[in-house]
Amino acid sequence: GAGVSQSPSNKVTEKGKDVELRCDPISGHTALYWYRQSLGQGLEFLIYFQGNSAPDKSGLPSDRFSAERTGGSVSTLTIQRTQQEDSAVYLCASSASATDTQYFGPGTRLTVL
Amino acid sequence: GEDVEQSLFLSVREGDSSVINCTYTDSSSTYLYWYKQEPGAGLQLLTYIFSNMDMKQDQRLTVLLNKKDKHLSLRIADTQTGDSAIYFCAEYGSASKIIFGSGTRLSIRP
């Protein structure tokens, strides 16, 4: 079917507000990843879901960041009390298994004023 | 934890070969990947190599793997302006997930 989709494509928020970013992976993909790419920076791993296993949260930068994956499909990344340094493009990717090609969504550009 | 490192920038003259280098720390890596991110676009898989191989060629792309030194390279022959992008090295190994480097920005000069 369709590729990985993310919403919203752009989000502007005020410092201190909470935001939710959504990722719809490719149907049937068991692995789902969240990354962050700041302006001029490389790709930063945030969190990884694989099937029913406990997620790998080792990349989350602070306890303001959390993510869920409901029913093994859609995932939501939540950032509480946003800060200006959270401004970045948040990318979601899914793959059929841990070793397979990751297919990336178009990203959500988050701007915290 | 496991780490993947790349230089941040590479500038190459059009028509020359580009060589993008990557080092990794995980001796248990089984798959190594190169992804490409064009300006304003998402990441796309370019090629990958199994750890039991030392070379893979695909048209203008050549991947070389030195497992002993944990060194991976991507060679782009006859570099064109359309090759301008950020190239990400990635590996799958003991962490049971794909770990990306920070990316190398390739710029092409006339």
Side-chain angles (χ1 to χ4, degrees), chain A residues 8-49:
Chain A
S9 55
N10 277 285
K11 176 72 176 178
V12 180
T13 190
E14 292 179 349
K15 178 181 169 181
K17 296 285 179 71
D18 298 350
V19 295
E20 282 190 355
L21 312 180
R22 178 187 167 103
C23 173
D24 281 89
I26 293 173
S27 177
H29 278 190
T30 61
L32 187 147
Y33 303 76
W34 282 99
Y35 299 92
R36 178 168 71 174
Q37 190 170 27
S38 303
L39 187 64
Q41 301 295 314
L43 208 60
E44 178 186 4
F45 165 78
L46 295 177
I47 188 169
Y48 163 52
F49 296 89

Side-chain angles (χ1 to χ4, degrees), chain A residues 75-91:
Chain A
S75 178
T76 302
L77 176 69
T78 301
I79 309 173
Q80 295 177 307
R81 305 180 302 281
T82 51
Q83 304 295 312
Q84 287 183 329
E85 61 262 29
D86 299 334
S87 296
V89 175
Y90 288 81
L91 291 164

Side-chain angles (χ1 to χ4, degrees), chain B residues 3-93:
Chain B
D3 197 19
V4 177
E5 292 193 351
Q6 308 175 237
S7 53
L8 290 179
F9 300 100
L10 177 66
S11 177
V12 174
R13 187 174 301 159
E14 188 175 1
D16 287 352
S17 292
S18 305
V19 180
I20 303 170
N21 294 303
C22 169
T23 58
Y24 58 97
T25 58
D26 186 357
S27 57
S28 302
S29 288
T30 51
Y31 296 81
L32 296 119
Y33 308 81
W34 284 104
Y35 281 77
K36 178 182 181 182
Q37 185 180 31
E38 296 187 26
L43 277 79
Q44 291 185 312
L45 180 69
L46 264 185
T47 186
Y48 67 92
I49 189 169
F50 295 110
S51 60
N52 62 358
M53 299 167 65
D54 53 20
M55 187 182 87
K56 181 177 181 181
Q57 187 150 6
D58 182 4
Q59 299 182 332
R60 292 190 298 121
L61 304 180
T62 304
V63 178
L64 294 177
L65 174 61
N66 181 330
K67 198 173 178 183
K68 174 177 168 289
D69 295 338
K70 301 192 194 68
H71 182 268
L72 183 75
S73 68
L74 174 69
R75 179 176 180 269
I76 305 172
D78 187 24
T79 310
Q80 303 298 310
T81 54
D83 295 324
S84 292
I86 303 175
Y87 291 82
F88 291 88
C89 171
E91 64 94 14
Y92 177 88

